[in-house]
Amino acid sequence: NGIRDGSAVSVGGGVLTITAQMVDGTLVSGAVGSRLNLTYGLIEFRVRTDPDPSQATSGVVLMWPQSNNWPIDGEDDIYETGTNPTRSYFSSFVHYGSTNQQYWIGQAADATQWHTMAMEWLPDSISFYRDGTLEGTITNPAAITHAAHHLCIQLDAFNPTMTGVVRMQVADVRIYAPSG
């Protein structure tokens, strides 16, 4: 729904901002992807997303497989607001397997406020943290991908139209690859 365009992405004051809005009848949003691919590591960032009364957008920070072989090589959504209009909660997901099986970890926190999110990806577990607190750990061997992934930050459009302007902001991104 809509298009992703570089004009919807800006950086200022150390903050990446992705803006979604209608432009000449088309929903325009944006996304960025890291060129760094890694297998295992710690990913940490601060994030917030504006409310969206039109329920058209979802703010997402995720790890995407370098192979683009989805869902076989997995997808780990560290932060995903969904289309909840108030952003009164958000989620973390682990997608895996040929039928896109999923683990869901609900985050009982206001996504319009800044939160420090982290994912620790080890060969035998994936753990999600919010503001320094462990929110959940996945240990099912079938759900732990061993394929290289890279960080993506995107404000996804789930409807072809929206009202107003929605911003997703991300700061202080840190990616720690495993040593050795």
Side-chain angles (χ1 to χ4, degrees), residues 77-79 90-94 103-107 117 128:
D77 302 321
I78 305 165
Y79 169 91
F90 55 95
S91 303
S92 300
F93 293 92
V94 171
Y103 279 99
W104 169 80
I105 296 170
Q107 301 279 349
M117 299 299 299
F128 294 96

Side-chain angles (χ1 to χ4, degrees), residues 103-123:
Y103 279 99
W104 169 80
I105 296 170
Q107 301 279 349
D110 181 352
T112 68
Q113 302 301 307
W114 284 99
H115 293 285
T116 299
M117 299 299 299
M119 182 183 86
E120 184 178 34
W121 173 25
L122 301 171

Side-chain angles (χ1 to χ4, degrees), residues 11-30:
V11 177
V15 176
L16 169 78
T17 301
I18 301 175
T19 303
Q21 61 189 328
M22 298 301 294
V23 177
D24 298 326
T26 300
L27 196 157
V28 176
S29 186

Side-chain angles (χ1 to χ4, degrees), residues 40 75-78 92-96 101-107 118-129 134-146:
Y40 316 123
E75 170 191 345
D76 300 319
D77 302 321
I78 305 165
S92 300
F93 293 92
V94 171
H95 298 258
Y96 67 99
Q101 294 167 281
Q102 299 176 28
Y103 279 99
W104 169 80
I105 296 170
Q107 301 279 349
M119 182 183 86
E120 184 178 34
W121 173 25
L122 301 171
D124 59 356
S125 66
I126 297 175
S127 296
F128 294 96
Y129 297 83
L134 176 65
E135 294 294 324
T137 299
I138 310 303
T139 58
N140 176 354
I144 312 301
T145 185
H146 305 288

